[in-house]
Amino acid sequence: MKFQLLSVLALLGGASAFNAPAFTPRTSALQATATETKAFAKLPASVKPGVVTGPALLDLLDHAKTAGFAMPGVNIVGSNSINACIEAAAKYGGPIMVTFSKGGGQYIAGKAADNTDDAASIAGCIAGAKHVREVAKLYGVPVILHTDHCQKAWLPWIDGIMEANEEYFKEHGEPLFSSHMLDLSEEPLEENIAICKKYMERFAKSNILLEFELGVTGGEEDGVDNSDVDSSRLYTQPEEVMYAYEQLSQVPNAMFTCAASFGNVHGVYAPGNVDLKPEILHNTQKYMKEKLGCDDDKPMKFVFHGGSGSSVKDIQYAIEAGVIKMNIDTDTQWAYWDGIRKYEAENRPYLQGQIGNPDGEDKPNKKYYDPRMALRAGEESMRDRLCEAAADLKCVNVLN
């Protein structure tokens, strides 16, 4: 099974999870909505159908950690894959994270669109996010809007999306997106966290969660190529996570996650070719608990990126360490194509011309070559693959 970049999203649950004296703890949406009618019997009252942001997002992730499930975080490239994701969530009965990459945003805007200064990548992500916001409630499930890896050279892409977030926040009281990932793992630790802290200060003003990465996820994905990285960099140390925690927790209203690597690799590999060490997550939890002096055995929320070739046993052991989201890309790409491939194979005699098929030389084939037919087959195949992933992640029937 392929789950993209197994990075440990040490979702530090926001200011309410921190014991740092540098700022006032946030009041969770769960506390604020204690008497509110619940939309989902098994979820906090703050979590509603549609896009989830801010304190409600924190409540959802805290609940996932406590209940012992992780949600799929899926890379998309257009409305078809977006709809397949949300349809899958409705079918398996759980939340989902819809994830936009820089390249995916450009594709949504159109490959011929002017991408000077990342204009197309920014516009495509914004357009895709607005599509999600328009349709998500129709499926009756919680959806997290997220952007994937952003390395140092790509920060102007996030800057452009942040302008849209801030404008949306002024009008609606919440950001357009739920969260953004900054992947500065190729930079020295101090520089990585210093830049993340600067962005965290901006994010916090609009209730946006920051995902950052420590260590390096191997393999290649959507323009990020770490195929030749030194293997020692695939494993993050607990001390590095603690340093990042101490720095970022100084930001008022902070909500952040840490993608700490433990052998994760992007791409698809045969079982046995990826040496995952999920015990790193367990050890980090123990280290953090001791340093923080807290009662919580799992003070961090983790997320996997790049779980290709990983066993369900390893994945679920990581969930026991507080994993609440796992990224999926390669497997869903294949599933989408496989659905189209099978549709073509099953209907090939009806796809050789506009007129003429086994039913007669004058019979039309329009209902077979209508693009919606093949695209829908791709959606259904992707949906079904995500339902399999949700079962591995213990994310089935977690709403009601």
Side-chain angles (χ1 to χ4, degrees), residues 302-342:
F302 296 128
V303 165
F304 279 153
H305 285 242
S308 308
S310 305
S311 68
V312 174
K313 180 180 178 181
D314 278 347
I315 291 167
Q316 294 188 350
Y317 184 54
I319 292 174
E320 292 175 13
V323 165
I324 46 75
K325 187 263 287 188
M326 183 173 281
N327 279 25
I328 308 172
D329 185 21
T330 303
D331 280 355
T332 48
Q333 287 181 346
W334 171 258
Y336 195 95
W337 157 247
D338 200 35
I340 293 175
R341 181 189 64 79
K342 288 178 179 178

Side-chain angles (χ1 to χ4, degrees), residues 12 18 23 193 196-198 200 210 212 243-252 254 256-257:
L12 297 178
F18 306 148
F23 57 87
I193 301 308
C196 285
K197 187 174 181 180
K198 176 184 175 182
M200 185 74 267
L210 165 68
F212 66 96
Y243 172 78
Y245 165 82
E246 291 172 336
Q247 292 297 309
L248 294 178
S249 64
Q250 295 172 10
V251 178
F256 55 89
T257 68

Side-chain angles (χ1 to χ4, degrees), residues 35-337:
T35 60
E36 190 175 342
T37 302
K38 297 182 70 172
F40 305 106
K42 296 180 181 179
L43 296 184
S46 59
V47 181
K48 308 294 184 184
V51 176
V52 182
T53 66
L57 171 59
L58 218 52
D59 288 342
L60 174 59
L61 300 180
D62 280 334
H63 173 76
K65 185 184 70 170
T66 301
F69 69 85
M71 64 197 73
V74 190
N75 283 64
I76 57 80
V77 293
S79 61
N80 294 102
S81 50
I82 288 172
N83 295 347
C85 287
I86 308 176
E87 181 181 351
K91 186 173 182 179
Y92 64 69
I96 196 161
M97 181 178 285
V98 174
T99 304
F100 294 78
S101 67
K102 183 172 177 284
Q106 182 185 8
Y107 188 83
I108 291 171
K111 293 294 285 186
D114 181 6
N115 199 33
T116 303
D117 297 326
D118 298 322
S121 293
I122 293 167
C125 288
I126 293 170
K130 290 181 177 179
H131 171 84
V132 172
R133 282 195 168 273
E134 288 296 321
V135 305
K137 289 183 180 179
L138 303 177
Y139 291 83
V141 295
V143 178
I144 299 170
L145 270 174
H146 182 64
T147 58
D148 210 0
H149 299 270
C150 177
Q151 54 197 22
K152 187 176 180 179
W154 293 357
L155 288 172
W157 167 54
I158 291 296
D159 292 337
I161 295 176
M162 276 304 301
E163 291 180 9
N165 275 321
E166 289 158 349
E167 189 64 31
Y168 197 91
F169 187 86
K170 289 178 183 177
E171 184 175 350
H172 301 281
E174 68 171 342
L176 178 62
F177 281 83
S178 310
S179 55
H180 297 298
M181 180 185 186
L182 300 185
D183 180 2
L184 304 171
S185 57
E186 294 184 358
E187 313 306 324
L189 176 63
E190 291 77 10
E191 181 180 0
N192 176 350
I193 301 308
I195 295 174
C196 285
K197 187 174 181 180
K198 176 184 175 182
Y199 275 84
M200 185 74 267
E201 291 170 350
R202 185 178 183 183
F203 287 8
K205 294 175 182 177
S206 299
N207 280 342
I208 295 171
L209 183 145
L210 165 68
E211 173 186 336
F212 66 96
E213 182 165 351
L214 296 177
V216 174
T217 300
E220 188 276 334
E221 178 191 45
D222 208 352
V224 179
D225 191 349
N226 293 321
S227 302
D228 299 322
V229 70
D230 187 292
S231 60
S232 65
R233 298 185 65 194
L234 298 178
Y235 302 98
T236 301
Q237 299 303 309
E239 294 83 359
E240 296 172 322
V241 180
M242 188 66 198
Y243 172 78
Y245 165 82
E246 291 172 336
Q247 292 297 309
L248 294 178
S249 64
Q250 295 172 10
V251 178
N253 202 41
M255 297 186 294
F256 55 89
T257 68
C258 170
S261 301
F262 54 101
N264 356 351
V265 178
H266 284 133
V268 60
Y269 300 88
N273 287 330
V274 177
D275 186 18
L276 286 183
K277 296 185 181 297
E279 59 269 22
I280 288 176
L281 309 188
H282 289 268
N283 292 338
T284 299
Q285 295 284 26
K286 294 176 183 177
Y287 181 87
M288 294 290 292
K289 179 182 179 181
E290 179 180 347
K291 290 295 183 180
L292 293 172
C294 62
D295 295 328
D296 191 350
D297 290 333
K298 295 184 287 187
M300 305 284 277
K301 302 177 190 70
F302 296 128
V303 165
F304 279 153
H305 285 242
S308 308
S310 305
S311 68
V312 174
K313 180 180 178 181
D314 278 347
I315 291 167
Q316 294 188 350
Y317 184 54
I319 292 174
E320 292 175 13
V323 165
I324 46 75
K325 187 263 287 188
M326 183 173 281
N327 279 25
I328 308 172
D329 185 21
T330 303
D331 280 355
T332 48
Q333 287 181 346
W334 171 258
Y336 195 95
W337 157 247

